[in-house]
DNA sequence: AGCACGCCGACT
DNA sequence: GTCGGCGTGCTC
């Protein structure tokens, strides 16, 4: 029996199956999806068993050395999915499989030197590195003193030393000491009356069914370790190690909720979903529901049905909206059947949540993008909430989109996939219109409240009227009004595309990074200038580097600056600021939000992170300070993003009894992406935007591929880019496919590397993946030893 | 990725 | 003559 193995070496040369002999004793143990340790060249590494076969075509086959899992960590489905994913994203199979297991299970290989003789037999210079009973790390010996390498090599040859490779997982299972009665029928009378505490413990253990950890017992019975030790010594109880889960939500109480009665509309949209659940049909639904229309309740009841049918559910939520409020709703309905996976958890916590899924201890997983790979085997429903969110696309290799993976899995399990959004992506909505997805509209809010009134303020007009501050008269008046009434306001500053750069007022010189073609950002806390791309940091200059003038000013407005301005114009206002700076510490996000929820501030000022999930009854005003900052980013989706964001932010106001109002400040108030927020008219926006996309030939009218080429030398980048572009032009169908470029990337240099890009727009190109593989293959050499990077992004979202 | 093999320059 | 630089190619 031989095993086909993908080894843990992420290079294109090793991106294929390797054959290993399965030792006789392990023939029933080793199955596809299990991780093993295999010899690879002179070392040992981890590998995934993909397949088993009777025999190999090769004659020199090494045996599998060790087995890392008892149960396969990748199901047959996930093995197939990984194969498909690596094909679709042009990445290594290994990288696809590594996506599917928690980081804690990835292994590192330790290289150690073992002493096979007495220390005295070694040359004096090496003796100090070896201590009896201790392991010696290769790196300790060699990195210390370069000359050691030769010495060690010789000693290995002579048989005095040996080099060993130790494959270790990064994470560990957490264990705790547990105790149980040695004999469950033990008589209490056997224990002397004077040993009151011992009796108490035995009595307690007799009553309890589950074993209890030593820690918990000590706390519960208010006693000490000695008592237990005594009982163990006498043989009444046994002590043992038991694996425990790290519970990120320990101590949090979840209020049990029951299904709410559905509105007529909700009833209408849930029926087709339940239908395809029951008949085991793979349908993709686009649930288009305005904010507050009760999408989540539809999800919950659909999941409930799936669980009743004995099947599992995967729910994806964008990282930033994976707030305690959201988790609460799922935990509240399904209790301990839910596993939660997001980046806020420690590596160990993620590991534990993941193993709950593998062991079938949960039936629902709620998580960010990578939760789509949850190792369930009987998936009944997959839900992607806020499906338009760009965070569902991974920007690193493998550059996959969770939506595509969801549909793969939905088709595998013949189950429904629900994409939910108030502002669907153009791609999804277009597919729904073409009946590829089934459109399910929810047009009214559950509580029958109207959507908040939106007023767009023309900031050019304000300027003409002599208002040079960042707050319009209207917004300022409204803010004052809310403070007087004791109601709350949210101020939203979209900083993407904007930053606080530094410019000389005399000569116009802008401080830029010396390694990247981008302006430096001023950081007030350290009074320094930082580059957002490479992390380069320099002191804030006092005079202009170019002309020596001391008229240096900060431009752009960060939240800090808005906050200062706010306290100047509204001195009585209590403001909570939420941005990367104030939420860096773990848990501070929740702390600030709950403080605001308790009414400890009048105004919540923040960036993107407050656009989602915020739901407090006293918020009656939402202000957007610079609506068009996103609109001018050179990206064909900028209008779509602007509309989505404005709608999202508007949804924060007046969700409960009090009526809400939204003020949007803009320098381009007539642009349809801003104008149409007033009427909350998605359909209209869709039509407008689609006609733009049609003219300029952008998705959903075409598919796109972005090829990014970078190298420290500009000439090299240009020659490679041109080669790629002309190759593509030769290979692709001229009539329906367009090759754009090569052109310099919007960010033409990052970390001293010049960047060029080529773009492919196509409708139907059967040979596309094959051709792209050829390009990858062709430049392998330059990529391995040279500094060349060629990255290919199918269906890109980021064009920098 | 690592590591060995192998072919050219500067040294005890 | 050798030591060691890193280009090339292989790992079941």
């Amino acid at each position: 029996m031989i095993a086909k193995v993908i080894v843990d070496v992420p290079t294109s040369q090793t991106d294929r199956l390797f054959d290993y002999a399965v030792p006789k004793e392990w023939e029933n143990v080793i199955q596809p999806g299990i991780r093993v340790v295999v010899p690879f060249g002179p070392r040992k590494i981890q590998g995934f068993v993909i397949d088993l076969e009777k025999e190999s075509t090769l004659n020199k086959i090494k045996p599998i050395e060790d087995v890392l899992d008892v149960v396969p960590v990748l199901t047959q489905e996930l093995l197939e999915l990984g194969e498909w994913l690596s094909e679709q994203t042009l990445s290594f199979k290994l990288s696809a499989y590594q996506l599917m297991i928690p980081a804690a299970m990835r292994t590192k290989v330790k290289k150690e030197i073992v002493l096979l003789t007495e220390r005295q037999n070694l040359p004096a210079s090496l003796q100090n590195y070896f201590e009896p009973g201790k392991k010696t790390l290769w790196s300790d010996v060699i990195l210390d003193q370069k000359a050691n390498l030769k010495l060690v090599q010789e000693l290995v040859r002579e048989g005095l030393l040996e080099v060993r490779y130790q494959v270790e997982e990064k994470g560990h299972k957490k264990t705790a000491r547990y105790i149980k009665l040695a004999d469950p029928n033990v008589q209490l009378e056997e224990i002397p009356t004077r040993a009151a505490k011992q009796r108490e413990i035995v009595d307690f253990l007799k009553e309890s069914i589950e074993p209890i950890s030593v820690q918990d017992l000590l706390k519960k019975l208010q006693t000490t370790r000695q008592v237990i030790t005594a009982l163990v010594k006498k043989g009444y109880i046994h002590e043992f190690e038991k694996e425990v889960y790290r519970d990120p939500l320990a101590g949090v109480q979840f209020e049990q909720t029951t299904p709410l009665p559905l509105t007529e509309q909700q009833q209408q949209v849930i029926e087709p979903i339940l239908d395809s659940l029951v008949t085991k049909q793979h349908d993709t639904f686009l649930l288009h529901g305005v904010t507050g229309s009760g999408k989540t309740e539809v999800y919950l009841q659909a999941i409930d049905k799936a669980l009743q049918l004995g099947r599992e559910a995967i729910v994806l939520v964008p990282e930033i909206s994976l707030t305690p409020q959201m988790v609460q709703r799922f935990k509240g309905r399904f209790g301990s059947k839910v596993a939660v996976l997001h980046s806020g958890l420690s590596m160990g916590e993620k590991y534990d949540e993941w193993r709950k899924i593998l062991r079938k201890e949960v039936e629902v997983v709620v998580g960010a993008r990578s939760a789509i790979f949850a190792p369930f085997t009987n998936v009944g429903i997959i839900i992607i909430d806020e499906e338009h969110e760009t965070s569902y696309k991974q920007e690193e290799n493998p550059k996959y989109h969770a939506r595509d993976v969801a549909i793969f899995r939905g088709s595998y399990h013949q189950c429904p996939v629900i994409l939910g959004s108030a502002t669907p992506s153009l791609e999804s909505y277009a597919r729904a219109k073409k009946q590829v997805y089934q459109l399910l509209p929810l047009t009214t809010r559950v509580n029958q409240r109207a959507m908040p009134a939106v007023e767009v303020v023309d900031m050019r007009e304000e300027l003409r009227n002599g208002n040079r501050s960042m707050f319009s008269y209207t917004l300022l008046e409204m803010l004052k009004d809310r403070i007087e009434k004791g109601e709350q306001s949210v101020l939203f500053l979209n900083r993407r595309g904007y930053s606080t750069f530094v410019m000389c007022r005399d000569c116009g010189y802008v401080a830029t990074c010396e390694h990247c073609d981008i302006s430096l950002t001023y950081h007030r806390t350290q009074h320094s200038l930082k580059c957002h791309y490479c992390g380069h940091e320099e002191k804030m200059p006092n005079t202009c580097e170019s002309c020596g003038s001391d008229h240096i000013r900060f431009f752009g407005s960060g939240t800090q600056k808005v906050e200062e301005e706010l306290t100047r114009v509204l001195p009585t206002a209590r403001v909570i600021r939420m941005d990367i700076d104030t939420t860096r510490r773990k848990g501070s996000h929740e702390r600030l939000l709950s403080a605001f929820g308790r009414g400890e501030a009048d105004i919540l000022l923040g960036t993107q992170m407050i656009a989602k999930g915020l739901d407090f009854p006293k918020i009656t005003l939402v202000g957007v300070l610079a609506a068009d900052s996103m609109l001018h980013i050179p990206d064909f989706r900028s209008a779509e993003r602007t509309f989505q964001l404005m709608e999202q932010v508007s949804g924060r106001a007046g969700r409960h009894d009090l009526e809400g109002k939204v003020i949007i400040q803009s320098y381009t108030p007539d642009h349809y992406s801003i104008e149409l927020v007033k009427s909350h008219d998605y359909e209209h926006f869709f039509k407008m935007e689609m006609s733009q996309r049609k003219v300029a030939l952008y998705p959903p009218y075409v598919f796109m591929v972005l090829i990014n080429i970078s190298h420290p030398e500009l000439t090299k980048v240009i020659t490679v880019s041109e080669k790629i572009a002309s190759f593509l032009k030769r290979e692709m169908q001229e009539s329906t496919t367009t090759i754009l470029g090569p052109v310099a990337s919007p960010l033409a240099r990052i970390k001293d590397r010049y960047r060029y890009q080529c773009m492919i727009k196509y409708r139907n190109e059967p040979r596309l993946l094959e051709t792209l593989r050829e390009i990858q293959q062709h430049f392998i050499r330059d990529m391995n030893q040279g500094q060349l990077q060629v990255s290919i992004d199918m269906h890109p979202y980021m064009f920098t």
Side-chain angles (χ1 to χ4, degrees):
Chain A
M1 182 92 89
I2 62 116
K4 298 276 188 185
V5 175
I6 291 285
V7 292
D8 189 6
V9 183
T11 60
S12 50
Q13 289 150 294
T14 49
D15 187 33
R16 58 191 180 84
L17 294 166
F18 285 84
D19 293 1
Y20 284 92
V22 177
K24 267 256 152 359
E25 310 76 51
W26 287 346
E27 286 201 344
N28 295 317
V29 180
I30 290 175
Q31 323 162 39
I34 226 168
R35 292 171 308 149
V36 290
V37 174
V38 292
F40 196 65
R43 61 216 166 103
K44 284 196 297 180
I45 51 171
Q46 188 207 107
F48 289 98
V49 175
I50 304 302
D51 212 349
L52 292 175
E53 268 169 29
K54 280 266 172 305
E55 51 201 41
S56 172
T57 51
L58 295 141
N59 38 17
K60 50 160 194 172
I61 294 182
K62 294 181 185 173
I64 288 172
E65 192 150 323
D66 198 0
V67 180
L68 288 172
D69 304 304
V70 186
V71 178
V73 289
L74 297 175
T75 61
Q76 189 56 42
E77 179 207 1
L78 291 178
L79 288 171
E80 286 171 36
L81 174 58
E83 172 79 27
W84 174 82
L85 197 68
S86 67
E87 250 166 56
Q88 295 297 312
T89 60
L90 298 133
S91 43
F92 306 136
K93 291 173 190 54
L94 174 75
S95 318
Y97 294 128
Q98 295 226 276
L99 272 183
M100 302 174 178
I101 58 167
M105 290 178 83
R106 287 180 208 156
T107 51
K108 50 182 177 198
V109 181
K110 265 197 198 154
K111 195 178 178 185
E112 292 164 354
I113 306 175
V114 185
L115 186 61
L116 300 177
T117 174
E118 292 300 307
R119 211 154 38 134
Q120 293 79 277
N121 298 341
L122 294 178
S125 67
L126 280 183
Q127 287 189 9
N128 282 337
Y129 292 104
F130 297 91
E131 272 178 60
K134 269 199 168 175
K135 289 183 173 163
T136 304
L137 281 180
W138 170 273
S139 53
D140 286 349
V141 182
I142 306 304
L143 295 181
D144 230 31
Q145 181 79 54
K146 281 217 167 143
N148 283 347
L149 177 62
K150 240 180 94 183
L151 268 173
V152 170
Q153 273 178 343
E154 237 161 68
L155 292 166
V156 169
R157 223 170 295 139
E158 287 169 24
L160 299 181
L161 295 178
E162 193 186 72
V163 178
R164 267 184 215 166
Y165 295 88
Q166 205 66 40
V167 178
E168 275 177 10
E169 282 191 11
K170 282 180 184 162
H172 296 280
K173 292 172 185 146
K174 193 177 164 189
T175 58
R177 307 288 301 170
Y178 271 65
I179 48 170
K180 64 175 180 198
L181 283 178
D183 171 15
N185 301 317
V186 67
Q187 294 303 307
L188 213 54
E189 289 71 41
E190 289 179 30
I191 298 161
T193 18
R194 39 194 290 266
K197 278 291 180 190
Q198 293 187 15
R199 273 195 167 199
E200 206 180 322
I201 290 174
V202 171
D203 192 37
F204 180 87
L205 291 175
K206 270 181 81 108
E207 295 303 311
S208 57
I209 315 144
E210 299 271 308
I212 184 167
S213 77
V214 172
Q215 228 186 352
D216 287 349
L217 186 90
L218 294 184
K219 214 189 284 166
K220 214 165 208 146
L221 299 184
Q222 286 293 311
T223 177
T224 57
R225 184 77 230 194
Q226 325 307 327
V227 191
I228 292 173
T229 318
L231 278 168
V232 173
K233 234 183 210 159
K234 288 188 191 165
Y236 286 110
I237 61 177
H238 283 320
E239 205 175 344
F240 59 101
E241 284 282 323
K242 185 175 182 277
E243 187 197 333
V244 291
Y245 289 130
R246 284 154 277 218
D247 187 359
L249 298 163
V252 182
Q253 287 297 312
F254 293 104
E255 210 173 300
Q256 186 73 34
T257 65
T258 45
L260 306 168
L262 296 180
T263 65
E264 202 176 308
Q265 261 196 346
Q266 284 176 316
Q267 195 61 47
Q268 267 169 24
V269 301
I270 204 171
E271 251 151 41
I273 299 172
L274 299 183
D275 265 0
S276 68
L277 252 170
V278 173
T279 58
K280 282 198 134 199
Q281 268 221 61
H282 167 55
D283 293 306
T284 304
F285 298 97
L286 179 60
L287 181 58
H288 179 210
V290 297
T291 44
S293 60
K295 289 191 288 289
T296 312
E297 188 59 34
V298 174
Y299 301 155
L300 291 171
Q301 297 198 15
I303 294 168
D304 200 32
K305 185 73 183 180
L307 301 192
Q308 281 170 32
L309 293 168
R311 306 173 77 188
E312 298 131 354
I314 300 175
V315 184
L316 296 195
V317 186
E319 188 69 64
I320 25 172
S321 61
L322 206 57
T323 53
Q325 280 178 330
M326 190 74 190
V327 173
Q328 187 104 30
R329 294 200 65 174
F330 285 88
K331 284 266 184 183
R333 191 67 57 88
F334 304 113
S336 60
K337 290 180 193 161
V338 183
V340 179
L341 283 170
H342 62 90
S343 67
L345 304 181
S346 71
M347 190 168 76
E349 288 168 342
K350 276 187 224 164
Y351 185 26
D352 289 354
E353 291 293 294
W354 188 85
R355 271 177 312 136
K356 284 188 202 165
I357 304 168
L358 189 69
R359 293 174 169 179
K360 304 243 162 30
E361 292 169 5
V362 291
E363 284 145 41
V364 181
V365 55
V366 180
R369 185 178 58 227
S370 64
I372 194 61
F373 298 109
F376 281 140
T377 49
N378 190 16
V379 179
I381 190 165
I382 302 173
I383 294 165
I384 303 189
D385 191 31
E386 310 278 5
E387 75 75 46
H388 62 278
E389 274 293 318
T390 53
S391 62
Y392 287 126
K393 172 76 191 283
Q394 177 152 82
E395 291 298 339
E396 298 90 55
N397 270 327
K399 299 183 169 112
Y400 73 97
H401 199 299
R403 193 200 293 138
D404 302 331
V405 178
I407 291 171
F408 180 102
R409 299 199 72 180
S411 152
Y412 187 95
H413 291 280
Q414 287 299 299
C415 78
V417 173
I418 306 177
L419 310 176
S421 176
T423 50
S425 62
L426 279 235
E427 282 93 334
S428 294
Y429 204 73
R431 274 186 203 164
K433 292 234 150 184
K434 277 170 64 185
Q435 322 268 310
V436 180
Y437 299 161
Q438 225 176 300
L439 186 64
L440 304 173
L442 279 177
T443 52
T444 54
R445 294 180 132 180
V446 174
N447 53 10
Q448 302 300 318
R449 280 236 152 259
M451 290 292 287
V454 176
E455 187 178 336
V456 178
V457 177
D458 186 345
M459 290 305 275
R460 296 168 305 183
E461 194 71 27
E462 290 285 318
L463 207 62
R464 278 197 285 274
N465 293 334
N467 179 7
R468 310 190 75 209
S469 88
M470 49 183 101
F471 309 108
S472 60
Y473 289 123
T474 323
L475 181 58
L476 203 56
E477 284 312 306
M478 288 268 184
L479 282 172
K480 281 182 191 158
D481 173 68
R482 301 300 128 124
I483 295 172
E484 265 168 37
K485 285 199 214 147
E487 294 170 6
Q488 291 182 305
S489 308
V490 171
L491 281 185
F492 182 79
L493 178 71
N494 178 25
R495 269 183 64 191
R496 201 182 287 171
Y498 241 126
S499 62
T500 45
F501 61 97
V502 173
M503 189 168 96
C504 169
R505 287 217 291 176
D506 286 344
C507 71
Y509 169 83
V510 174
T512 50
C513 177
E514 56 190 274
H515 308 287
C516 316
D517 282 349
I518 192 157
S519 47
L520 292 167
T521 304
Y522 176 63
H523 279 249
R524 197 178 153 202
T525 33
Q526 293 115 78
H527 193 61
S528 65
L529 297 173
K530 259 189 210 162
C531 173
H532 276 187
Y533 284 86
C534 72
H536 169 78
E537 190 172 353
E538 53 187 70
K539 257 180 56 201
M540 171 70 194
N542 294 319
T543 54
C544 172
E545 273 178 54
S546 170
C547 71
S549 152
D550 54 6
H551 290 141
I552 305 183
R553 282 215 29 198
F554 309 117
F555 282 81
S557 37
T559 41
Q560 284 182 353
K561 210 175 152 197
V562 177
E563 189 183 19
E564 279 173 26
E565 185 79 7
L566 206 53
T567 39
R568 200 174 57 76
V569 292
L570 294 170
T572 58
R574 297 165 302 159
V575 181
I576 289 182
R577 193 182 95 210
M578 275 185 78
D579 55 22
I580 312 148
D581 288 332
T582 63
T583 55
R584 206 184 316 262
R585 291 225 331 271
K586 199 176 171 177
S588 51
H589 192 265
E590 289 80 49
R591 219 185 41 248
L592 289 173
L593 275 186
S594 59
F596 188 66
R598 284 194 304 271
E600 287 170 21
D602 307 301
I603 299 171
L604 179 66
L605 165 67
T607 53
Q608 328 280 34
M609 62 179 73
I610 61 170
K612 284 196 185 4
L614 214 57
D615 189 356
F616 298 117
K618 282 176 92 184
I619 301 176
T620 58
L621 176 66
V622 168
V624 180
L625 293 175
D628 22 33
S629 58
M630 196 179 246
L631 202 51
H632 306 305
I633 298 174
D635 182 325
F636 73 89
R637 287 191 179 90
S638 62
E640 182 183 350
R641 296 218 177 109
T642 301
F643 182 80
Q644 283 165 348
L645 193 63
M646 292 305 108
E647 274 298 315
Q648 202 75 247
V649 175
S650 315
R652 304 304 112 215
R655 292 175 72 96
H656 298 263
D657 297 337
L658 299 166
E659 207 172 302
K661 171 95 185 171
V662 180
I663 306 282
I664 295 178
Q665 303 189 13
S666 169
Y667 289 91
T668 47
D670 303 327
H671 192 280
Y672 60 92
S673 65
I674 290 170
E675 162 107 62
L676 287 171
V677 178
K678 286 197 263 186
S679 47
H680 302 288
D681 194 347
Y682 176 83
E683 189 70 30
H684 192 173
F685 171 79
F686 175 76
K687 289 207 177 95
M688 297 288 286
E689 182 66 11
M690 280 298 269
S691 63
Q692 295 282 321
R693 303 274 177 102
K694 190 171 187 178
V695 173
L697 215 63
Y698 277 117
Y701 287 98
V702 292
F703 297 110
M704 285 177 84
V705 183
L706 179 73
I707 305 177
N708 205 302
I709 302 106
S710 71
H711 193 276
E713 286 162 44
L714 185 58
T715 49
K716 180 77 180 169
V717 181
I718 294 175
T719 37
V720 171
S721 307
E722 274 165 358
K723 263 190 202 162
I724 289 176
S726 63
F727 179 69
L728 284 170
K729 277 173 191 155
R730 212 162 47 236
E731 297 292 314
M732 301 282 96
Q733 303 168 26
E734 211 178 308
S735 51
T736 54
T737 300
T738 327
I739 314 294
L740 299 174
V743 291
S745 298
L747 261 162
R749 192 174 52 123
I750 294 180
K751 292 186 198 173
D752 289 318
R753 304 175 62 86
Y754 291 93
R755 308 167 78 243
Y756 264 63
Q757 58 186 28
C758 289
M759 223 142 30
I760 310 172
K761 288 178 176 178
Y762 69 99
R763 284 171 161 278
N764 180 27
E765 194 63 71
R767 293 212 332 111
L768 179 68
L769 289 175
E770 197 187 325
T771 310
L772 293 172
R773 278 280 181 205
E774 278 173 45
I775 291 175
Q776 272 186 337
Q777 222 54 38
H778 188 265
F779 291 104
I780 278 180
R781 222 170 243 163
D782 283 327
M783 286 166 73
N784 280 349
Q785 7 125 254
Q787 298 255 26
L788 182 71
Q789 270 176 32
V790 177
S791 99
I792 301 175
D793 190 355
M794 302 291 292
H795 319 305
Y797 279 76
M798 293 250 292
F799 293 87
T800 51

